[in-house]
Amino acid sequence: MQPYEIKTHRIGRRRYCYTDEGAGKAVVLLHGHLIAENQWDPQIPALTQAGYRIICPHRAGMGNSDICEHMSDAADADDTFALLNALGVEKCVAVGHSAGNAHARQMFLSRPSRVEAAVFIDGLYYLSGKASRLGTERYSPEVRALYKKNKAILIAHDLPWYYPSEFNVQLLKDWFEWNREHPGLKDKLKRRDDPANCPIPSGKYCEIPLLVIASGWGKIRPDDPEAA
């Protein structure tokens, strides 16, 4: 992976860090919960070569960004729009992965005129509660082999349902080591109720192009009853 320059924007006294590569229509890539500064590095070359400007912010308290007083979806969206304002970006495509889905959704719901399209990747709310409790008999042979290899680590972290790839397992190790080295900070990173969080409307409320990617972590197929 090619390292990209991490830049800093000031929001009050806080550092809000990001990468900014390429030129053209702005695509904002919003990371998941465990990783920030390099999650999107493998995708950046293809997207910039296709003619897009790629902006990858680090959510407050993650990557190189300072923590904010109140962690919430609304605070994330406000931070990102503050950055886009500073960069002179009026409209963007919002792409969220995992926890980044709520970030992207808040951006659209709070300022719909500024989000041209959205991509939601592996958002947990696309699976019913039963999906996370499926047994290993539903895994593909490849995933079953990975689970057998990494089962002890997943169980030790109380995440037996987590997708057991080598990449994800290393993330878990890094995340729990980080928690051990920063006692008490994990609680500060918890999402807070915020009256500025936009409620999810009922029915078909998305009036922009939307692409949803839900892999099912190798446990379920698109036609399985657990897939929403």
Side-chain angles (χ1 to χ4, degrees), residues 5 30-31 42 45 67 72 103 106 120 124 126 153 155 164 175 179 197 200 215:
E5 179 187 359
L30 305 166
H31 63 81
I67 195 168
S72 70
H103 190 161
Q106 176 73 19
F120 293 163
L124 298 183
Y126 294 115
I153 296 173
I155 292 177
W175 175 245
N179 285 328
N197 286 346
I200 302 174
S215 70

Side-chain angles (χ1 to χ4, degrees), residues 42-84:
Q43 283 75 41
I44 290 176
L47 292 170
T48 55
Q49 290 168 20
Y52 296 102
R53 180 181 183 180
I54 305 304
I55 301 169
C56 306
H58 300 181
R59 181 186 296 120
M62 307 202 73
N64 297 80
S65 294
D66 293 332
I67 195 168
C68 68
E69 185 177 357
H70 300 292
M71 310 291 289
S72 70
D73 296 338
D76 284 339
D78 288 346
D79 282 351
T80 302
F81 280 119
L83 172 63
L84 295 179

